[in-house]
Amino acid sequence: ETLRPGDEVMVASFDRSLHIRHPFTSDPDRVFSALSDLEGNTGYALEREMERMEKIKTIYETNSLHSALFQATSFADVTRDDMSQSLNGLRELLDSLAGLPGRKMLIHVSDGIPSVPGQDLFQAVQQRFVDQSALSEAMAYDLSQRYVELAALANSNRVSFYTIDASGLRTGSGMGAENPAINNVQGVSSAVEMVRTSNLQDTLIDMADRTGGQAIFNTNDVADGLKRFARDFENFYSLGYRAPTLDRGRYHRIEVQLKERPKGWRIRHREGYRDKSIGMQIEDAVASYFVHGYTTNPLEAAIDLGPQIDNEDGTWQVPIRVRFPMSKITLLPRPGFHQGQVRLYFAASDEAGAQSPLGEMPMELRIPDESLEMARQDEVARIIDLTMKPGPHRL
């Protein structure tokens, strides 16, 4: 209902591709408006469920193991492709959040994420024909390692998953009178539905656990769960320690223990982090700027555009002057002079969002001792010559 000072919320959805429905804002009304606009977006869930039920019905009605396996594999193929796109969308979102400061909560709302696409259909084939090869074939669709990698990426970017199973209190979807072939096989429907439920919910729970978040499932009222989510940002701890710096960029695992655990206490924390180099952090910050417009300017840098020259090959030569106050640079004393280093990183994106590779320009400053006081009142400037395509760009 309210946002604390400094809190900002973004609304995004995935419908074959990632869509930012509303950029970061501290206005709750704008957040609710964006969520209201999403109410009619089903993400093809209804169509998928109808297709699933038709294939399960065929599996129980056919007398051919080959035909039943075809129903399971065809559904698993489509579901795996859909999930691969969704995972790519989540990776894109997590990458865009990497350069944003502070703790980040990603509230993920779905009707479940299958760890093994089509696992319940292969379970139905196994029980219908008492053939263990169906369960072995299901393992070819196992996506669990990709979810582990996604959780590691979230941890590297300081994002915690808070997942919601929007299906609510699940019931056996295949137990209606419209599916007599299923109901005639005693005990099969409940077993298949149990496999389906755990397959969809276990991933939500696991991603939340691995990133120090929480999950809401098996309930039609998420209000209490959302309050638990909010309490995580109101009450938390920070632990700091010096990690080895030999392998910058490596993923480090974390384990936190209480010496004495009072009854009812439970520790939640992300399972690891990536020790990112300065270059990686800058690259993250540039990527976040292009997606979310976030920027910080502690050096009070300014950019001036010089005269653009037509290269007559479809590109333009664009000189960019970057300048900043010398007083913002730390200079270290050396015999007879003071020395400092600055490294400029730059990239550009066009109207379509295509981004150039991240460029880098090192600068070394050497100021004679007798010129130090005057230099501190001046500014540093460097010119970067960029070759760019016609049209508007963001730098």
Side-chain angles (χ1 to χ4, degrees):
E1 295 180 359
T2 59
L3 292 173
R4 297 174 304 165
D7 287 349
E8 292 194 0
V9 176
M10 177 186 70
V11 179
S13 67
F14 185 85
D15 182 4
R16 307 298 182 186
S17 61
L18 180 65
H19 300 284
I20 305 298
R21 300 294 180 174
H22 198 288
F24 279 105
T25 178
S26 56
D27 185 346
D29 292 336
R30 294 185 179 183
V31 175
F32 294 143
S33 176
L35 292 174
S36 297
D37 292 341
L38 282 174
E39 286 184 355
N41 189 339
T42 64
Y44 304 102
L46 183 59
E47 292 88 341
R48 284 203 310 269
E49 181 59 17
M50 291 177 62
E51 179 187 2
R52 171 183 172 272
M53 291 311 306
E54 282 298 319
K55 290 190 176 296
I56 287 182
K57 183 178 179 181
T58 302
I59 288 171
Y60 283 116
E61 289 178 343
T62 185
N63 292 319
S64 167
L65 172 61
H66 177 77
S67 175
L69 280 174
F70 175 77
Q71 299 298 321
T73 55
S74 61
F75 182 80
D77 284 335
V78 173
T79 305
R80 180 177 58 185
D81 290 344
D82 286 345
M83 289 312 306
S84 291
Q85 293 184 43
S86 297
L87 287 172
N88 290 339
L90 276 173
R91 291 189 68 90
E92 181 182 350
L93 180 59
L94 290 172
D95 284 337
S96 77
L97 297 173
L100 300 183
R103 303 171 66 242
K104 287 153 283 191
M105 168 192 290
L106 196 161
I107 300 180
H108 182 274
V109 183
S110 69
D111 56 350
I113 305 178
S115 176
V116 182
Q119 185 180 32
D120 51 325
L121 273 71
F122 288 107
Q123 177 72 21
V125 173
Q126 188 274 331
Q127 294 202 349
R128 171 70 176 83
F129 294 93
V130 195
D131 190 308
Q132 295 296 328
S133 65
L135 298 183
S136 299
E137 194 157 345
M139 290 300 100
Y141 295 90
D142 188 0
L143 296 177
S144 57
Q145 183 57 37
R146 290 196 61 181
Y147 297 124
V148 171
E149 294 169 357
L150 188 72
L153 177 63
N155 285 332
S156 299
N157 297 341
R158 297 187 68 188
V159 180
S160 295
F161 271 103
Y162 288 75
T163 54
I164 301 176
D165 181 3
S167 297
L169 189 60
R170 291 182 179 269
T171 59
S173 58
M175 297 185 180
E178 71 276 13
N179 290 310
I182 300 177
N183 292 316
N184 286 341
V185 186
Q186 185 176 5
V188 170
S189 292
S190 59
V192 170
E193 290 303 316
M194 287 176 61
V195 169
R196 174 176 181 257
T197 297
S198 62
N199 187 37
L200 292 173
Q201 291 182 344
D202 286 354
T203 304
L204 298 178
I205 298 169
D206 186 61
M207 287 201 304
D209 285 345
R210 288 178 180 274
T211 59
Q214 301 186 56
I216 298 175
F217 56 96
N218 287 343
T219 178
N220 293 329
D221 184 359
V222 300
D224 288 342
L226 290 176
K227 290 178 181 177
R228 285 191 285 108
F229 288 4
R231 283 198 295 269
D232 271 15
F233 265 46
E234 295 171 355
N235 303 282
F236 59 91
Y237 59 86
S238 294
L239 299 178
Y241 62 95
R242 185 179 297 278
T245 58
L246 297 178
D247 300 319
R248 300 306 295 264
R250 188 171 68 87
Y251 191 78
H252 298 266
R253 295 204 171 272
I254 299 173
E255 183 177 351
V256 180
Q257 295 180 349
L258 281 176
K259 289 185 177 180
E260 297 180 4
R261 179 177 297 184
K263 185 177 180 181
W265 283 46
R266 178 174 175 263
I267 301 176
R268 281 189 294 106
H269 61 88
R270 62 180 75 256
E271 66 171 14
Y273 73 98
R274 189 171 304 282
D275 185 19
K276 295 188 178 184
S277 65
I278 294 296
M280 295 171 67
Q281 294 176 44
I282 294 294
E283 191 168 349
D284 288 344
V286 171
S288 295
Y289 166 75
F290 283 127
V291 177
H292 304 294
Y294 172 81
T295 183
T296 180
N297 192 12
L299 292 184
E300 299 179 6
I303 296 177
D304 302 317
L305 197 64
Q308 303 169 49
I309 302 173
D310 188 350
N311 290 330
E312 298 183 354
D313 61 356
T315 65
W316 288 75
Q317 198 71 20
V318 183
I320 305 292
R321 186 174 69 153
V322 181
R323 51 189 175 84
F324 45 87
M326 177 68 82
S327 59
K328 293 293 183 178
I329 306 301
T330 299
L331 298 174
L332 301 179
R334 297 288 186 262
F337 65 93
H338 279 64
Q339 183 180 37
Q341 289 186 334
V342 177
R343 195 171 296 272
L344 303 178
Y345 295 85
F346 49 92
S349 68
D350 59 19
E351 277 188 303
Q355 182 180 323
S356 70
L358 187 68
E360 180 181 341
M361 176 184 286
M363 297 171 53
E364 183 171 330
L365 306 175
R366 296 168 66 98
I367 311 298
D369 288 345
E370 61 271 18
S371 303
L372 182 60
E373 289 305 318
M374 184 178 297
R376 289 191 186 278
Q377 301 173 26
D378 203 351
E379 65 179 14
V380 183
R382 284 293 185 273
I383 293 179
I384 304 170
D385 283 314
L386 300 180
T387 301
M388 307 176 75
K389 295 180 179 179
H393 289 73
R394 289 202 298 168
L395 180 68

